[in-house]
Amino acid sequence: MVDIKAEWEKALDEKECEKLLELFDDYVDSIETEEELRMELRRLGEVAVQCDEPYDLLHEIGHVYAHLDDVESAIELYKRVVERKKDDPEEYATALYYLADAYEHFGMLEKAIETYQKLLEHEENILKNDKEIALTLANLAVNYDEIGETEKAIELMERAREIFERINDEKNGLISLLDLAHFHYELGNYKDAEALINEVLRTPRDDEIEINAKLVEAEIYAGKEYYEGAFRAVRDALVKAINVGDDVFGLVFDTLVDFIEGLFNEEAYETVAKNMEAFAELFEDDTAYFFRAIAELARWKAGDEGAKTRFDELYSRIENEELLSVLDEWKKPKLSLELGL
């Protein structure tokens, strides 16, 4: 049996960053106390900031610090890398990007914006790389939208879009259109949002862009309360995602589940019931039973007592615990609180 402690100590002593990354999960899992874990994170951090490419290792360290409710210690490591890389313009830009990304990942959006702005100034004044400038503008736009400054987000994303068009970066140009469509949807500008989505969908594109376009299209339809159109758009995205990859499929599936939950909360039971079979027929496993059970649950909640028996039968056929937990949550009766005067 390999002594992971000995391997870890050797990799630390010799500053073998790739080896430390390889050992990270297994070694961290072997640590029994929080005190020892914090000590190892400090030792590892001292080595990580000296790595030529420290960012994957910092990402792993950051997640553990977040679990310990100590995000600041993770951020401090990214800051030290920025300081270390400041004499190399290209490396400095990369370090600033990862610091901004870490702030964003940990929900520190004002700090992320501040750092992306610093990166943008560096790119505009020193590096003068149009593509990187446009990508940073896009990142700034997304973060401004997250803090509710959607008009500012549109202004920045339009600038990014213009640069992508000028340098013939079609893929990033299409992504910027998707983001703009989402921003306009958030402001209630459905006509502008639809026009942008139509522009994406009539352009040759890769599957992932089409999937995201369909999700934004569904969002717009839902905002207009055209729920059948929204379900069709999500179904199109799901069909495409089946052949793309588990991560993308999971994103679409979770979006669909969230959409259905929203309709349950609005008591739009008939809308749910009549749209589930279109999803059930896409699957041959117990996911098909899941969607049919959702339809019967909707009918049951709408007052069809016979639907309860059909729901229970379908529920009994489902083995996937995650799907069952969704149904368990949705079949709970809504609590209504009355205020006594």
Side-chain angles (χ1 to χ4, degrees), residues 100 104 109 112-117 120 132-162 164 172 175-184 186-187:
E104 185 177 350
L109 300 182
I113 288 170
E114 179 183 317
T115 308
Y116 277 127
Q117 190 63 52
L120 180 63
E132 296 302 324
I133 289 169
L135 289 170
T136 301
L137 285 167
N139 282 321
L140 271 169
V142 169
N143 279 272
Y144 271 110
D145 176 61
E146 286 292 324
I147 65 171
E149 295 190 32
T150 304
E151 291 182 354
K152 177 70 171 176
I154 289 173
E155 174 194 330
L156 291 165
M157 194 62 76
E158 285 287 5
R159 286 176 59 192
R161 174 193 181 183
E162 289 170 5
F164 289 135
N172 280 311
I175 293 170
S176 69
L177 290 176
L178 287 177
D179 285 326
L180 283 168
H182 175 73
F183 298 159
H184 280 290
E186 288 191 322
L187 292 177

Side-chain angles (χ1 to χ4, degrees), residues 59-105:
H59 179 79
E60 298 296 335
I61 295 170
H63 271 281
V64 179
Y65 269 127
H67 180 72
L68 296 172
D69 197 25
D70 187 10
V71 168
E72 284 299 334
S73 289
I75 291 294
E76 188 59 35
L77 294 175
Y78 284 95
K79 287 181 177 179
R80 288 176 62 186
V81 173
V82 169
E83 184 65 22
R84 181 170 172 266
K85 303 281 190 180
K86 66 180 181 179
D87 293 331
D88 183 321
E90 294 282 355
E91 292 289 335
Y92 178 64
T94 300
L96 279 176
Y97 165 77
Y98 279 104
L99 173 59
D101 183 66
Y103 277 131
E104 185 177 350
H105 180 74

